[in-house]
Amino acid sequence: MKRLAIYPGTFDPITLGHVDVVRRGLQVFDRIVVAVAERAEKGPTFSHAERIAMAQETFAEEPRVEVQGFSGLLVEFARKLGAVAILRGLRAASDFEYEFQMATMNRRLAPELETFFVAAAEEFTFVSSSLIREIAAMGGDVGPFVPEAVARRLRARAQT
Ligand code: COA
């Protein structure tokens, strides 16, 4: 049986830190669905369609990764896909509390779905989507931290 994991996030925008989590996940799971949450309430900078498109372009060459958008409860979407696990990355101890709370709540909602954490690569432990947006808006070079599909869009935004 092929083991499918779901990697959920807002991905506003997706960073090389997120890509690293997927790459590590692929060593354990057969397929990964990168699930881009709509999260309109979070007031994302990029639209849902743009966030999905950036992730799709990022993983275009990886047949074992699929990108899908979703709204509503993560566990419902994971069940619909037939996922056996939720994948998340931990960058530092500060991520732990929030991640542990989500993992525990998701387990109460769907006991059959296990959350797996991977430790982020050292070179991306300081990367976050909001820092990327801030640096790009001020004309800084975010090229080393984001996929090309994201860098291109951020450059275009900074010029408008
Ligand atoms: N590398 C780089 N950045 C990382 C990272 C990593 N390994 N891990 C986390 N981040 C950063 C992101 O850049 C982002 O930074 P920001 O706060 O500066 O913008 C932040 O951590 C978290 O973003 P992201 O990884 O996109 O995930 P999220 O925390 O926004 O995702 C959902 C939350 C979507 C998984 C959660 O809200 C959800 O499941 N929603 C659906 C509704 C639901 O089921 N709710 C009940 C949940 S119990």
Side-chain angles (χ1 to χ4, degrees):
M1 200 187 80
K2 296 252 187 262
R3 299 182 78 75
L4 167 70
I6 186 167
Y7 179 36
T10 309
F11 303 117
D12 187 33
I14 191 163
T15 69
L16 291 182
H18 294 124
V19 173
D20 170 64
V21 171
V22 173
R23 299 250 174 271
R24 288 173 198 283
L26 283 174
Q27 297 185 31
V28 178
F29 298 101
D30 300 305
R31 287 204 306 127
I32 293 178
V33 169
V34 175
V36 183
E38 186 171 16
R39 297 202 82 192
E41 79 287 354
K42 204 182 168 189
T45 300
F46 288 97
S47 71
H48 196 205
E50 281 176 302
R51 286 180 280 130
I52 294 169
M54 286 186 281
Q56 273 171 340
E57 287 171 39
T58 300
F59 294 109
E61 305 294 320
E62 180 45 78
R64 293 195 292 142
V65 178
E66 192 187 327
V67 178
Q68 291 198 32
F70 79 103
S71 53
L73 272 186
L74 170 65
V75 292
E76 293 303 332
F77 187 59
R79 274 178 175 149
K80 209 170 79 185
L81 293 175
V84 294
I86 298 169
L87 177 68
R88 293 284 290 176
L90 287 175
R91 290 165 299 174
S94 51
D95 281 343
F96 180 78
E97 208 169 322
Y98 168 64
E99 294 295 338
F100 189 69
Q101 187 183 19
M102 263 200 314
T104 311
M105 180 57 86
N106 281 329
R107 191 160 58 200
R108 288 299 284 267
L109 296 172
E112 77 282 8
L113 263 178
E114 204 58 64
T115 298
F116 281 80
F117 295 108
V118 298
E122 305 88 85
E123 64 264 42
F124 300 126
T125 48
F126 57 92
V127 174
S128 81
S129 298
S130 50
L131 279 182
I132 295 296
R133 293 194 303 270
E134 186 178 319
I135 294 164
M138 294 177 179
D141 177 20
V142 293
F145 314 118
V146 294
E148 180 48 34
V150 175
R152 196 167 4 104
R153 281 172 176 82
L154 285 169
R155 277 196 298 269
R157 269 179 182 243
Q159 283 161 10
T160 56

